[in-house]
Amino acid sequence: MIKLTRTDSENEDFIGLVSLLDSELEERNGDEQTFYAQFNILDKINHVVLIYLDGKAVSCGAIKEFD
């Protein structure tokens, strides 16, 4: 069963999925990934969607405000 949940950047499942993504991107992009790290801070993201499949977080998305 698929379930969508609205949350924010303090959600542990969101933090876990982003951590997995960061690891994958670092492996793929090497040193170039350090440039993007400045944009990937999880501080105060108010609009996050998590997708759960059979109770396990499998995907996510977020909208973050920038100046």
Side-chain angles (χ1 to χ4, degrees), residues 2-28:
I2 296 174
K3 178 184 174 187
L4 279 79
T5 301
R6 293 182 189 182
T7 188
D8 60 30
S9 59
E10 294 183 8
N11 182 286
E12 290 183 22
D13 289 332
F14 177 67
I15 293 168
L17 287 172
V18 171
S19 179
L20 290 172
L21 174 62
D22 287 343
S23 295
E24 173 71 21
L25 291 174
E26 188 173 317
E27 185 177 315
R28 287 183 187 200

Side-chain angles (χ1 to χ4, degrees), residues 16-56:
L17 287 172
V18 171
S19 179
L20 290 172
L21 174 62
D22 287 343
S23 295
E24 173 71 21
L25 291 174
E26 188 173 317
E27 185 177 315
R28 287 183 187 200
N29 299 332
D31 293 337
E32 291 180 20
Q33 189 60 30
T34 57
F35 170 78
Y36 297 104
Q38 64 184 320
F39 304 111
N40 293 335
I41 298 169
L42 297 183
D43 188 33
K44 299 179 184 174
I45 301 175
N46 295 320
H47 306 287
V48 171
V49 175
L50 287 167
I51 299 173
Y52 291 87
L53 179 61
D54 297 328
K56 180 179 179 183

